Amino acid sequence: MNYITLALVTGAVTGLLDVVPMISKGISFRSCVSAFCTYLFAAILVFYGDLPYLPWWADGSATVLMIAVPVMLCLVGKDRKAAPAIFMNAVILGFLISVSKHYLT
């Protein structure tokens, strides 16, 4: 498996980990696709980018958090309960992307 394929598979898996609970709660299809694409593209950014002064395990969390902050700011006006869940998903799933990059490459 080459590098881009590994990045895409990792992004797809983390995206599915985020989307499956959303589907079970009856969240709209558009929101599910948006969350899936966010983690798919975040995995590519983590695999091909390197943030300076951060250890390998914090690279994914920081990158996904930077992508998730605008989404959280847009949702604060509509649903304040969603922001902490988005924050925790970004940190945990970003860490899993970093672990995947570190141990599978």
Side-chain angles (χ1 to χ4, degrees):
M1 188 179 301
N2 61 7
Y3 205 65
I4 186 69
T5 307
L6 184 62
L8 289 171
V9 168
T10 301
V13 169
T14 54
L16 285 174
L17 285 173
D18 188 42
V19 168
V20 168
M22 292 172 69
I23 292 171
S24 68
K25 290 184 180 179
I27 306 287
S28 70
F29 179 74
R30 183 179 298 159
S31 297
C32 293
V33 170
S34 172
F36 179 81
C37 289
T38 298
Y39 286 103
L40 182 69
F41 300 144
I44 295 170
L45 290 175
V46 170
F47 269 70
Y48 283 96
D50 187 29
L51 294 175
Y53 308 114
L54 285 179
W56 66 265
W57 52 268
D59 211 12
S61 293
T63 303
V64 176
L65 267 176
M66 286 186 268
I67 294 171
V69 164
V71 174
M72 286 189 291
L73 292 176
C74 288
L75 288 177
V76 166
K78 296 178 183 175
D79 186 15
R80 290 181 181 256
K81 294 179 183 177
I86 294 172
F87 179 81
M88 289 306 299
N89 278 344
V91 171
I92 293 168
L93 294 176
F95 174 73
L96 291 177
I97 292 171
S98 291
V99 168
S100 174
K101 176 187 174 187
H102 185 72
Y103 288 112
L104 297 178
T105 57

